[in-house]
Amino acid sequence: MEKQINGSVMLNGNGYIKTQHQKRLNGFKVDKMNEGSVSKSNSLASEEIGQTKKQRVFKESFEPPTLLTAMLTQISFYVLMVLGYLSQLLFPPKVIQEKGRQGYQPLYDSFSAFYSRYVYRRVRDCWNYPICSVPGSEVVLKDRITKDNGWTFEFTGSQTKCVNLASYNYLGFAESSGPCAEAAVQSIYDYGISTGGTRIHYGTCGLHNELEELLAEFLGVEDTITFGMGYATNALNIPTLIEPGCLVISDEKNHASLIWGIKLPGATVKVFKHNDMYHLEEILRQAIYFGQPNQPIGAFKPWKKIIIVVEGIYSMEGTIVKLPEVIALKKKYKAYLYLDEAHSIGAMGKHGKGVVDYFNLDAKDIDILMGTFTKSFGSAGGYIAGSKRLISYLRENSYASCHAWAMPPPLAAQIITVLKILMGKDGTNEGQRRIETLARNTRYFRMRLEQIGLIIHGNDDSPVVPILVYLYSKIAYIVRTLIKEHIATVGVGYPATPLFEGRIRICLSAGHTKEQLDYALAVLERVADEIGLKYSRKPRDLTPINYDDIKVYQD
Amino acid sequence: MPSSKTPYIDEKLFQERLTAFNPEPLVKYDKIKDKQDIEIECIKENNDVIDLAKTNFLNVLNNDDIKNKSEEIIRKYGVGTCGPRAFYGTTDIHLKLEDHIAKFLNMDEAIVYSYGFVAISSSIAAYCKKSDIVFTHRDCNIAIKQGLQMAKSKVIYFDHGNTDSFTTEVEKIVESEKDKKKLARKFLIVEGVSWKTGQIVCLPELLKVAEENKIRVFLEESYSIGILGKTGKGLLEHFKIEPYRVDLIISTLESAIGSIGGFCAGSHTAIEHQRLSGNGYIFSASLPTYLVQACIESINLITEETAKKLKVLSEHFHSTLTEIGYEVLSDPLSAFKVFTINEKDEEKKRYKEQKVYQFCKNNGLYLIYQENGLIANLNITLADHKEKYAKVQNILSDAFSQ
Ligand SMILES: Cc1ncc(COP(=O)(O)O)c(C=O)c1O
C-alpha cells in the first residue's frame, strides 16, 4: 500500500466498473463512455451511472506517435542539451555575477541554472511575449528583438495584431468596453481599487456578498466563498481540510496549485493515472481494505477520510474528467470529492455551469466545488462552493480569509456582470449565445484539425485543444512562425509536459468569428505541410463541414 | 488480467471493511455561523468616521488620480489578463512595474506575483530545499511558514527582537557541523517589521552574523517599503545598508502600495531562477493590469516628504498612546500600532481590549481587534488634519478611562 500502484487493471464483474469500451484502431485509442448502455455488472458504481438520465457520447482521443517520431524527439532534445553544455563551456553566462557572495553555496542547483541559461534561453522569445491590449479574440503584441541570443530583449516600437488562440478567454468576456468593463469602472469609484484588508477584518464589501449569493444561485449550491487569487484558493484552502491520517487520491495531471495544497498538511497522497477510472477504483479498494499503513501486525486502522481530487478540464491535455464515474466511485467508497473547475466553469455545459452541467449532474454531489475567475470570467480570483457548513468553516478558518487580502471590488463587479449575463438576468440571450458559440467553435475547429491530419488530444467538446508536435525544436519554430502569420498560440514542452509530448495549445473562445478560425486553420495547414506535422494515421472523413449546421447542446 | 503488483484482496473482508468504514466529517465544525458573525464589512469614511482598520498608510486607496488611472487601464486592457505571465499574460505595464520596483529599490531585477501571500510562500520554496537549514523568527507570518513547510527545510527559530538568540542558534549549528565535509546551505528569512508586533528587526547585527557564516539573507519588507527610510525605500535605506548585502527582498504590494500582489527583488541570478521555478508565478494568471498600474502610481507617490510625514506621525501617535496609558508593542516608527492594556490576567486583558475596541467603534473610530491586541493602521492624512488627530486622541483616551 505504501508504494504507488502501477499497471492498469481491467477486471470484469469483480467490483470494477465496466463502462468503458476501449477500441483499438490502427494504433490509436478511442474511449467511449455511453452511459445509457452500461454493461451489466453487479458493481454499485456502474448502476449509479446507469441511472443518470442523460446519454452522452464521451469521445477522447490519444493517438500515440510513431516510433520514429518518438526517437527523433528524444534525439533532438539531447542535441539541444549537448549544444547547451557546449555553449556553457564556450560562453560563460553574461548575467552579472552576484556581488559579495564569494564562497557562498549557490542559490540554486546548477542544473536549474544550466537549463534556464542554455536550453530555455534559446527559445525564450516564444514565451512571455508582452502584449499591449485586451487579451480578446485578437491581441496586440509589442514586438521585441534580441541581439544576444535571448539574454536580453529590446522593444522595436512596432506592434503585431494577432488572432488570439492563446488566452483563457473562453466566453470572450475579456473586454475593455461593454457592461462588464462599465461595472468594474463604476466599482472603483464606489468601493476603491482594493478594500485594503482581509475578509474577516474590514475587507469585505457589498459586492462580495452580492457575488457570493449570485454564484451560489448559479451553481445550485448552498453557499460559496470567494478569494483574491485562483492559485491561492487551492493552495491555502486544501490544507485546512486535510490532516495526517487522511488519504488524498489525486489525478496525475492535476494542476500545480492543487499539488501544493495537497502536499502541505502531511496527509498521504496517492496518484492515479490520468482519468483512469480503473486505476482510481483500484486505489480506493486498497485504501478501504488495507487502511492506514505502518500499523502493528494484525491491527487495522481505517483512513480518517479519503478525498479524491480531480479537475474539470485538464488544461494541458484538453481532456474532461469522467465525472459520473468519479461520483459513483466516491459514493460507493464513501470518499469526498474535490473538483477544480478552473477551466470548465463557464466553458462547459448548456448553461455554462461547468462539467457538472455538461454531464447533467447535481452540484450537491460534489463535496468541494472549486473554480477560478481568471478564465471564462475575464477577471481574477477563485471560489469554493459547497454546503453551508463547509463554507462557514472556511470563512472562519481559511488562511485565505484570515491572512490574505480580499478580492478587489472591480474584479468582483466584472464577475457579477458576467454571471448576470450567463443567467439571462440582463434581459438578453447574450449569455446563451456565447455558450453556444464556444461549443460550436470548439466542434468546428477540432473537426477541421482532424481533417487536416494533425494529432490533437482531448475531448471533442473541450475548448482546450493541444496539437501534438512532439519535437522540442518544433515547438519554438511553430510558435515563431505562427506569430509571423499573426496568430498567437502557446507552446508547451518539457518540463510542463512529458519530454516526448511537446505541443501547441489552442484555447478557443466564443469571441472568435468563423473567419478568424478559418484563417487560423489555413495557416496551420500550411505550416503543418511545411514542417511535417501531419502525423495522424487515423482514417479521415473529409466531408466539408458546414459551421452553421453544427448542433450543440441539443441532446 | 490483474497486474502482478496488485495485492490480494479478500472479497468478504473487503465488504466488511467497506460497510464498517465511517469516515470523519469533511470539516469538524459544529456551529454554522452567519456570514455577518464572521466577516466585518469595510466602512465608508466621512467626517464622522475615521478608518484605521484598513491598511492605507499613504492614503492611496482614496487617491482620485489612481482611481482615474485605473479606469483608463480597464478601458484599454480590460479587467483580467486571461493567462499566466508566460502565455500572453504579460502586458507592457507588468514589465514597467518590474523595472520600476528594481530601480526604486536599487536592485538588478524584480518579479511580480499576483498575490502577496503566494509571492512570499512560492519564492521561499523556490530556493530552500530539504537539505537546507533556514533560520527564521518564531512569530513569522503564515506565508513564510507555508513556504518553509513546502520546502521541507530544517527550520531553526530565534526571537525577532533578539539578535543574541540568532547568534546562539547559528553557533550551535556551526558547532554541530564542525566535523562535516559538506555543510548545509543556510538561509536567514526575517521580517523587517514584524507583522505581529510591529517591531523593527536589528538588521545590521543580523547581517554581520550572517555574513560571517555565509548565510544567505531574504528580507521580508511588506511593512517597511514606502514607510521606513529617508525616502521611503524601506529597511535597507533606514539602516543605510547596501542592497547587495541581502539576496532577496520579498514584499507584498498590499500594504503601503495599496494594491494587490507581491514581488521579489534581487540580483539577476536570483530572480532569473524564480521565472522558471516560482510555483505561484508560473502557474497562475498574472496580476490584473489596472492593479499593476496602481502599484506604479503608488510608488511614484513615495517621496522624502511622505516618508518624513509618516515618520513624525508614527512617533507622535506612539507617544499619544503611551501617554494615555496603553502598552504599545510596536516600534515608534512603525506605521501600524499594536497596542494593548497593561493587565496581568489574560482574560481581563481581552475583556478590556474588547471594550476599548467597541467604544472606539461606537464613536466612529475603527480599529482591528486581534488575538495579540488592538491594531491601528495610521493614515498619512492624520498628519495634516489636526482636528481629526485630536478626535482620535480623545476617543482613545476616553476609551481607556471608561
Ligand atoms: C486547474 C487550475 N486550478 C487553478 C488555477 C489557478 O488559477 P489562477 O490563475 O486564477 O490563479 C489554474 C490556472 O492556471 C488551473 O488551471
Side-chain angles (χ1 to χ4, degrees):
Chain A
M1 209 40 209
E2 273 292 61
K3 60 182 185 306
Q4 199 52 57
I5 305 149
N6 295 314
S8 118
V9 185
M10 296 194 191
L11 285 182
N12 292 340
N14 205 5
Y16 293 96
I17 49 171
K18 218 191 121 199
T19 57
Q20 260 177 329
H21 312 290
Q22 295 196 329
K23 287 188 197 159
R24 284 199 169 270
L25 280 172
N26 209 4
F28 65 91
K29 191 170 99 189
V30 180
D31 272 10
K32 266 200 176 159
M33 188 177 71
N34 199 331
E35 296 140 21
S37 61
V38 170
S39 55
K40 299 277 173 303
S41 141
N42 48 13
S43 145
L44 176 66
S46 42
E47 271 163 32
E48 295 235 355
I49 300 168
Q51 280 164 12
T52 348
K53 278 153 252 98
K54 178 107 169 220
Q55 296 209 352
R56 185 173 292 289
V57 179
F58 193 80
K59 196 166 153 275
E60 285 189 350
S61 57
F62 295 94
E63 186 173 347
T66 59
L67 194 61
L68 181 66
T69 313
M71 272 165 54
L72 283 176
T73 310
Q74 194 158 5
I75 293 169
S76 80
F77 186 77
Y78 293 134
V79 169
L80 208 63
M81 296 289 276
V82 170
L83 282 179
Y85 275 115
L86 273 178
S87 66
Q88 186 176 27
L89 287 178
L90 297 175
F91 312 101
K94 280 189 207 159
V95 233
I96 297 158
Q97 293 297 330
E98 290 180 286
K99 200 170 164 190
R101 287 292 178 260
Q102 291 84 357
Y104 279 62
Q105 299 196 32
L107 196 47
Y108 42 92
D109 60 293
S110 57
F111 182 77
S112 297
F114 161 74
Y115 190 83
S116 161
R117 288 171 194 167
Y118 292 97
V119 182
Y120 172 65
R121 181 182 53 78
R122 293 165 165 273
V123 290
R124 215 178 115 193
D125 57 305
C126 299
W127 290 277
N128 304 301
Y129 216 118
I131 67 171
C132 54
S133 74
V134 64
S137 66
E138 291 184 322
V139 62
V140 181
L141 308 186
K142 216 168 156 158
D143 296 331
R144 52 183 189 171
I145 48 162
T146 172
K147 291 179 179 153
D148 49 8
N149 290 318
W151 289 109
T152 57
F153 290 95
E154 284 166 31
F155 285 121
T156 60
S158 65
Q159 299 180 342
T160 307
K161 193 179 215 174
C162 290
V163 176
N164 185 0
L165 298 181
S167 299
Y168 304 135
N169 179 27
Y170 301 118
L171 290 178
F173 281 111
E175 291 166 329
S176 52
S177 59
C180 301
E182 288 308 325
V185 165
Q186 186 54 44
S187 73
I188 294 179
Y189 298 101
D190 292 346
Y191 296 97
I193 58 163
S194 158
T195 54
T198 61
R199 285 296 296 269
I200 61 163
H201 286 304
Y202 295 100
T204 305
C205 73
L207 289 178
H208 293 120
N209 297 332
E210 187 184 347
L211 169 58
E212 284 166 3
E213 274 163 35
L214 199 62
L215 187 63
E217 184 189 334
F218 177 68
L219 296 172
V221 294
E222 284 178 15
D223 204 356
T224 64
I225 176 169
T226 56
F227 304 99
M229 182 200 199
Y231 178 98
T233 306
N234 283 331
L236 304 192
N237 284 304
I238 299 178
T240 56
L241 298 173
I242 53 184
E243 56 180 344
C246 296
L247 175 68
V248 181
I249 308 180
S250 163
D251 190 290
E252 67 175 335
K253 300 285 183 192
N254 272 347
H255 188 256
S257 57
L258 291 166
I259 296 170
W260 178 287
I262 291 166
K263 271 192 183 168
L264 263 186
T268 308
V269 182
K270 298 242 179 265
V271 179
F272 66 98
K273 282 199 230 147
H274 178 52
N275 231 351
D276 183 339
M277 295 301 119
Y278 294 93
H279 196 191
L280 173 58
E281 180 157 25
E282 173 68 32
I283 295 180
L284 280 165
R285 274 171 59 84
Q286 297 190 8
I288 296 289
Y289 188 74
F290 294 105
Q292 297 190 36
N294 304 331
Q295 302 304 316
I297 294 174
F300 170 75
K301 190 172 174 196
W303 293 100
K304 286 185 184 164
K305 57 191 171 194
I306 301 172
I307 301 182
I308 303 171
V309 182
V310 291
E311 286 180 30
I313 294 181
Y314 290 85
S315 62
M316 289 295 163
E317 313 301 314
T319 45
I320 296 174
V321 63
K322 291 173 183 158
L323 194 58
E325 299 189 334
V326 176
I327 290 180
L329 285 174
K330 88 142 201 144
K331 284 186 178 165
K332 180 173 176 189
Y333 296 100
K334 305 179 195 172
Y336 296 104
L337 177 58
Y338 189 107
L339 173 64
D340 180 339
E341 292 240 39
H343 284 267
S344 46
I345 188 67
M348 294 299 295
K350 193 169 181 172
H351 314 91
K353 300 181 195 172
V355 283
V356 178
D357 184 15
Y358 176 75
F359 287 113
N360 248 359
L361 299 165
D362 185 353
K364 298 207 171 73
D365 277 340
I366 289 115
D367 303 282
I368 310 143
L369 190 55
M370 179 270 172
T372 69
F373 299 118
T374 33
K375 280 103 194 175
S376 297
F377 292 85
S379 181
Y383 66 83
I384 286 187
S387 67
K388 273 223 150 26
R389 185 180 304 277
L390 170 73
I391 303 304
S392 174
Y393 170 80
L394 290 176
R395 241 181 244 298
E396 194 168 351
N397 297 300
S398 161
Y399 293 152
S401 39
C402 309
H403 301 281
W405 259 215
M407 173 188 285
L411 302 185
Q414 161 97 8
I415 303 162
I416 291 172
T417 318
V418 172
L419 277 174
K420 284 185 180 159
I421 294 173
L422 291 182
M423 294 162 89
K425 287 187 191 253
D426 63 336
T428 72
N429 66 349
E430 176 64 11
Q432 207 51 42
R433 189 194 64 75
R434 289 190 192 226
I435 290 167
E436 283 169 18
T437 308
L438 174 64
R440 184 168 293 113
N441 284 350
T442 301
R443 281 279 173 94
Y444 178 70
F445 203 78
R446 278 181 165 269
M447 285 196 278
R448 287 288 313 276
L449 285 177
E450 291 199 339
Q451 288 190 337
I452 292 174
L454 294 165
I455 295 190
I456 53 176
H457 273 188
N459 192 289
D460 277 5
D461 289 327
S462 150
V464 180
V465 190
I467 301 177
L468 273 285
V469 304
Y470 304 109
L471 271 68
Y472 201 79
S473 47
K474 277 190 186 176
I475 303 174
Y477 180 81
I478 296 174
V479 171
R480 288 175 192 143
T481 312
L482 289 178
I483 287 177
K484 278 201 203 105
E485 300 279 356
H486 299 257
I487 298 174
T489 55
V490 164
V492 201
Y494 179 80
T497 67
L499 182 53
F500 313 123
E501 289 189 12
R503 61 195 66 181
I504 300 295
R505 190 187 58 187
I506 283 166
C507 290
L508 294 162
S509 165
H512 291 139
T513 59
K514 177 171 182 288
E515 290 67 38
Q516 285 172 331
L517 297 182
D518 282 337
Y519 171 72
L521 286 161
V523 173
L524 276 168
E525 175 150 31
R526 207 167 67 232
V527 175
D529 270 330
E530 266 166 35
I531 61 168
L533 277 188
K534 296 182 173 176
Y535 293 112
S536 181
R537 285 150 294 135
K538 269 203 277 191
R540 282 185 238 166
D541 175 3
L542 293 176
T543 329
I545 297 160
N546 188 340
Y547 180 83
D548 296 315
D549 287 349
I550 297 175
K551 300 262 182 295
V552 293
Y553 297 125
Q554 310 214 327
D555 38 335
Chain B
M1 283 298 295
S3 78
S4 56
K5 284 185 186 147
T6 316
Y8 172 72
I9 290 182
D10 177 84
E11 206 53 40
K12 189 161 158 282
L13 183 59
F14 170 77
Q15 284 304 337
E16 269 171 31
R17 289 191 169 161
L18 179 58
T19 315
F21 182 46
N22 183 18
E24 285 183 2
L26 184 59
V27 287
K28 287 178 209 145
Y29 185 74
D30 291 330
K31 202 167 158 287
I32 299 176
K33 292 188 194 160
D34 274 342
K35 208 172 187 170
Q36 292 78 12
D37 296 335
I38 302 171
E39 291 169 350
I40 312 176
E41 280 207 35
C42 60
I43 41 218
K44 279 235 177 304
E45 283 169 273
N46 58 39
N47 285 340
D48 296 323
V49 171
I50 300 169
D51 183 2
L52 299 186
K54 68 156 120 29
T55 40
N56 193 16
F57 307 124
L58 297 174
N59 203 34
V60 292
L61 293 178
N62 299 323
N63 186 306
D64 286 334
D65 278 346
I66 295 186
K67 289 183 181 173
N68 296 336
K69 284 268 168 32
S70 299
E71 172 176 353
E72 266 173 45
I73 292 287
I74 290 181
R75 293 197 188 283
K76 180 169 179 208
Y77 293 85
V79 177
T81 57
C82 282
R85 284 290 297 270
F87 302 162
Y88 305 92
T90 303
T91 67
D92 45 348
I93 317 281
H94 287 82
L95 296 178
K96 208 156 127 192
L97 174 61
E98 287 179 346
D99 225 35
H100 215 65
I101 294 174
K103 291 217 177 76
F104 179 72
L105 294 176
N106 236 327
M107 290 283 196
D108 285 353
E109 197 175 334
I111 179 170
V112 169
Y113 283 73
S114 45
Y115 215 31
F117 193 106
V118 172
I120 299 173
S121 55
S122 279
S123 57
I124 290 175
Y127 303 101
C128 301
K129 298 291 167 226
K130 203 170 173 179
S131 54
D132 299 336
I133 296 176
V134 181
F135 299 93
T136 187
H137 46 101
R138 215 159 266 115
D139 56 358
C140 67
N141 63 61
I142 303 233
I144 295 182
K145 289 210 168 105
Q146 208 186 70
L148 288 174
Q149 208 179 337
M150 200 61 190
K152 297 199 166 66
S153 313
K154 179 172 174 180
V155 182
I156 293 177
Y157 292 108
F158 61 93
D159 294 322
H160 188 265
N162 183 349
T163 316
D164 290 342
S165 71
F166 174 60
T167 318
T168 319
E169 295 301 334
V170 173
E171 278 166 0
K172 270 193 229 161
I173 290 293
V174 171
E175 181 62 29
S176 73
E177 280 189 332
K178 219 169 53 191
D179 303 323
K180 287 197 184 141
K181 263 216 193 89
K182 186 164 174 11
L183 305 184
R185 186 168 55 161
K186 299 176 195 71
F187 293 92
L188 163 66
I189 301 177
V190 64
E191 290 168 5
V193 176
S194 164
W195 288 28
K196 192 153 185 189
T197 63
Q199 282 290 335
I200 298 177
V201 79
C202 189
L203 193 62
E205 290 177 23
L206 290 184
L207 277 184
K208 193 162 156 282
V209 180
E211 280 164 5
E212 277 164 9
N213 295 285
K214 302 220 182 319
I215 299 173
R216 293 194 178 259
V217 184
F218 294 174
L219 179 64
E220 199 283 335
E221 286 236 52
S222 297
Y223 290 98
S224 42
I225 284 175
I227 298 160
L228 296 182
K230 187 153 177 281
T231 59
K233 293 191 197 313
L235 205 65
L236 295 181
E237 189 183 45
H238 175 76
F239 284 119
K240 301 191 178 63
I241 291 172
E242 298 235 39
Y244 75 85
R245 290 181 64 194
V246 299
D247 290 275
L248 206 62
I249 288 179
I250 311 174
S251 169
T252 74
L253 290 160
E254 292 155 4
S255 77
I257 311 277
S259 179
I260 291 289
F263 72 86
C264 295
S267 65
H268 285 303
T269 317
I271 301 301
E272 177 195 24
H273 179 58
Q274 278 191 54
R275 299 209 189 263
L276 286 180
S277 305
N279 206 291
Y281 174 82
I282 303 170
F283 297 107
S284 176
S286 57
L287 184 62
T289 318
Y290 88 90
L291 288 166
V292 181
Q293 184 67 39
C295 295
I296 298 178
E297 303 296 330
S298 290
I299 292 174
N300 288 342
L301 289 178
I302 301 169
T303 59
E304 190 167 344
E305 195 196 335
T306 57
K308 187 160 176 217
K309 235 186 213 174
L310 211 49
K311 177 170 182 276
V312 173
L313 173 67
S314 301
E315 286 172 327
H316 189 37
F317 202 86
H318 184 89
S319 37
T320 302
L321 286 171
T322 327
E323 276 159 25
I324 295 174
Y326 291 105
E327 185 184 335
V328 188
L329 304 176
S330 49
D331 193 277
L333 289 179
S334 165
F336 69 99
K337 299 295 171 202
V338 187
F339 58 101
T340 143
I341 287 159
N342 198 347
E343 172 69 64
K344 285 224 170 55
D345 186 274
E346 193 57 32
E347 213 163 292
K348 264 195 202 151
K349 184 170 167 169
R350 296 302 286 164
Y351 173 72
K352 283 189 179 169
E353 282 169 1
Q354 168 85 36
K355 263 182 76 182
V356 169
Y357 169 75
Q358 204 55 48
F359 181 92
C360 291
K361 196 170 162 183
N362 295 344
N363 287 280
L365 173 63
Y366 287 82
L367 305 170
I368 286 179
Y369 170 59
Q370 270 193 338
E371 60 283 359
N372 56 330
L374 296 154
I375 294 177
N377 289 307
L378 300 184
N379 183 318
I380 197 162
T381 51
L382 280 181
D384 295 328
H385 294 83
K386 295 277 175 300
E387 335 75 73
K388 212 164 156 186
Y389 189 94
K391 191 173 164 192
V392 173
Q393 186 168 9
N394 288 338
I395 297 173
L396 282 168
S397 168
D398 293 348
F400 186 80
S401 50
Q402 63 178 310

